[in-house]
């Protein structure tokens, strides 16, 4: 029960969560899930809205999942603001917030891992973020399979901002026959087109001005790719433009098949395509993507 | 629908299976699952009986899972006798038999793998069968997670004959929060104490006489272990006795903690324990285990 009767209930344990969901099921209500790492912004709230359009009750999980961070990454400093998250979810019409502890999610003796492909078989976890953050998709696959099994929702909504993650989750849910529909929801952008991200909070004013140029460069590159310009040239020019805009490092900027993220063997776009980027300003690493 | 109205329905697709289970749920019926690789014998039927005691309707899956066989193993020759299996399940009171094709279980693009531990973290899949059949528990973890998610049963019953597999499945279901209760059912033995196994069908009369000595040796070793005889001596003597009985090879005969299968650091039994064996006669490899 909430301490403040005006905010939604915050649930800490899987057994309490299941009891709440069971109660909804007995009333014939459908259930949606929005998995997040908290530090909620307007982008997350569009996911809650999408889930509300598709289900009667929406569970939003807030869990900064340690297994998807590498040792050198920002697990310790990742923004945590639970009271504000609860207030935002209440305003957005969320039914409950599920904020388990690490011990609740990974009790002593936990040893299971889930991989959505590997070097030999390929799969959506290979390359791009999977190359630069090798721990991440294994961690995502485990925590999302757990959340899906805990909630047993009709539908789970994920942001298209993490496009590769969405493809990984969709593949995993299909492969393991998890009966929850996986839905992607479009990226929300600020007035300058910058994709909303919890990590934008790390940016100084000067860095923010640089970050806002990224979406413009992506849009231009996507338009060139759609016009059948050779992808090697499009990617090379985008790479240079991102550095010239003031980014300090580009991990990748590539145009790939939209679903399985494999390259176009033909060297030009021949079907549904996505441009994906990861680039850093100072110590902040941003990702973005767009349909071509 | 069955061709012979006297035999239970054989279901080939996940969507048909889910429709049947949904119908049961709407009637308020509980559901049990017994995963098998077919070639059913009386041991399997005790699993069906156990599931019937715990649930209103029992699904028995019959699927020779290719991903749990290594290239040199007996996938191609593993006994397949679907009509007889269906007749036995009908007599045992099974509600439906789920016998999907390999393409239904592993469609094009399938890439997900599940591991219940690894060399660094340990876990019940490490050592014993995991050492001698490295492909097996990965294959088991994937196919069982799929079956559990497909059926969404209240309870799933596994034979204690495959004790390590039961521990792997129990750990995986707990770790991934799969909400099906995992139940172990005691090994059924013939009049000579030989554990019933589909692979016993490979044995000649002479080999069968040898195989029937295994349980006697295990029982003696278990009794010695229970009497606090040092485990190194118990295991060494059992190893020799199995070879002397006529087996051609002993992969392992060990006494371990019953739940996580780790060795007793004290060198004697200090808590719940299990003796586990794998040994071969000719080309047939048998496993067995008992409580200490």
């Amino acid at each position: 029960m909430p301490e403040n009767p005006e905010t939604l209930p915050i649930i800490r344990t899987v057994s309490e969560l299941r009891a709440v969901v069971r109660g909804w099921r007995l009333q014939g209500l459908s259930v949606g899930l929005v998995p997040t790492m908290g530090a909620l912004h307007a982008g997350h709230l569009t996911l809650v809205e999408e889930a509300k359009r598709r289900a009667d009750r929406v569970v939003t999980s807030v869990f900064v999942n340690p297994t998807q961070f590498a040792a050198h990454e920002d697990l310790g400093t990742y923004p945590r603001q639970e009271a504000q998250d609860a207030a935002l979810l209440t305003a957005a019409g969320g039914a409950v917030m599920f904020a388990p502890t690490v011990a609740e999610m990974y009790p002593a003796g936990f040893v299971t891992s889930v991989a959505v492909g590997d070097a030999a078989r390929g799969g959506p976890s290979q390359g791009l973020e999977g190359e630069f953050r090798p721990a991440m998709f294994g961690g995502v696959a485990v925590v999302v399979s757990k959340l899906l099994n805990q909630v047993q929702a009709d539908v789970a909504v994920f942001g298209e901002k993490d496009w590769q993650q969405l493809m990984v989750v969709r593949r995993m849910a299909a492969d393991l026959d998890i009966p929850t529909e996986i839905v992607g929801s479009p990226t929300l952008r600020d007035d300058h087109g910058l994709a909303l991200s919890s990590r934008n909070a790390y940016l100084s004013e000067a860095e923010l001005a640089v970050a806002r140029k990224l979406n413009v460069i992506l849009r231009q590159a996507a338009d060139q790719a759609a016009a059948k310009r050779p992808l090697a040239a499009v990617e090379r020019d985008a790479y240079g433009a991102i550095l010239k805009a003031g980014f300090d490092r580009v991990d990748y900027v590539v145009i790939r098949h939209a679903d399985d993220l494999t390259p176009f063997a033909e060297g030009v776009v021949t079907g549904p395509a996505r441009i994906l980027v990861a680039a850093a300003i100072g110590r902040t690493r941003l990702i973005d993507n767009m349909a071509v």
Side-chain angles (χ1 to χ4, degrees), chain A:
Chain A
M1 291 300 100
E3 287 159 31
N4 178 343
E6 290 179 13
T7 62
L8 86 181
I10 300 177
I11 295 176
R12 304 287 178 191
T13 67
V14 176
S15 61
E16 288 172 84
L17 178 67
R18 285 189 164 142
V20 167
V21 172
R22 199 177 308 122
W24 292 337
R25 292 296 185 193
L26 288 173
Q27 297 173 61
L29 300 171
S30 60
V31 180
L33 169 66
V34 179
T36 81
M37 298 212 299
L40 302 182
H41 51 65
H44 295 106
L45 301 182
T46 66
L47 308 183
V48 175
E49 287 157 20
E50 181 63 32
K52 281 187 68 183
R53 275 192 289 276
R54 294 168 177 267
D56 299 316
R57 294 287 181 275
V58 175
V59 175
T60 305
S61 62
V62 169
F63 181 63
V64 181
N65 178 35
T67 70
Q68 72 194 67
F69 288 78
H72 66 279
E73 290 181 341
D74 58 346
L75 172 62
T77 56
Y78 196 86
R80 289 164 171 86
Q81 48 193 46
E82 186 177 284
Q84 184 181 322
D85 290 346
L88 288 167
L89 289 174
T90 303
V96 300
M97 173 166 147
F98 177 51
T101 62
V102 171
E104 176 74 5
M105 292 294 272
Y106 303 112
F110 187 101
V111 292
T112 299
S113 60
V114 178
V116 187
D118 53 36
R121 295 195 284 182
S125 68
Q126 297 299 294
L128 309 181
E129 292 301 290
E131 179 183 346
F132 288 93
R133 302 187 63 196
M136 190 175 76
F137 289 127
V140 166
V142 166
V143 79
V144 173
S145 63
K146 284 174 67 72
L147 289 166
L148 292 171
N149 289 332
Q150 287 164 357
V151 181
Q152 304 258 297
D154 300 277
V155 61
V157 182
F158 294 79
E160 290 185 352
K161 159 111 177 341
D162 295 285
W163 183 265
Q164 190 177 7
Q165 171 176 280
L166 174 61
M167 297 303 110
V168 166
V169 167
R170 196 168 263 163
R171 182 81 251 169
M172 180 202 69
D175 284 356
L176 297 185
D177 296 292
I178 294 174
T180 300
E181 184 189 1
I182 306 300
V183 170
S185 184
T187 302
L188 197 65
R189 297 176 182 280
D190 74 7
D191 291 343
H192 303 263
L194 173 64
L196 296 197
S197 165
S198 303
R199 290 192 172 96
N200 292 352
Y202 300 154
L203 299 170
S204 69
E205 274 300 309
E207 289 171 336
L208 187 63
V210 173
R212 283 172 167 160
K213 299 177 189 170
L214 185 60
N215 73 94
V216 180
I217 297 167
L218 282 194
R219 185 73 269 152
Q220 288 170 340
D223 290 347
Q224 292 169 11
K228 301 286 185 186
R229 189 176 176 216
L231 294 175
V234 175
E235 293 171 355
R236 181 201 58 207
D237 287 358
Y239 189 97
I242 295 166
L243 290 175
K244 196 152 185 299
F247 279 83
D248 295 302
R249 190 184 82 234
V250 182
D251 284 346
Y252 58 83
V253 55
V254 294
I255 294 141
R256 296 288 180 89
H257 285 284
D259 53 351
D260 64 8
L261 302 179
T262 55
F264 285 93
E266 305 86 347
V268 293
V269 165
T270 56
R274 202 91 190 167
I275 183 166
L276 304 104
V277 67
I281 319 173
R283 287 163 49 227
T284 304
R285 183 176 183 276
L286 301 177
I287 62 172
D288 197 359
N289 69 87
M290 289 179 186
V292 169

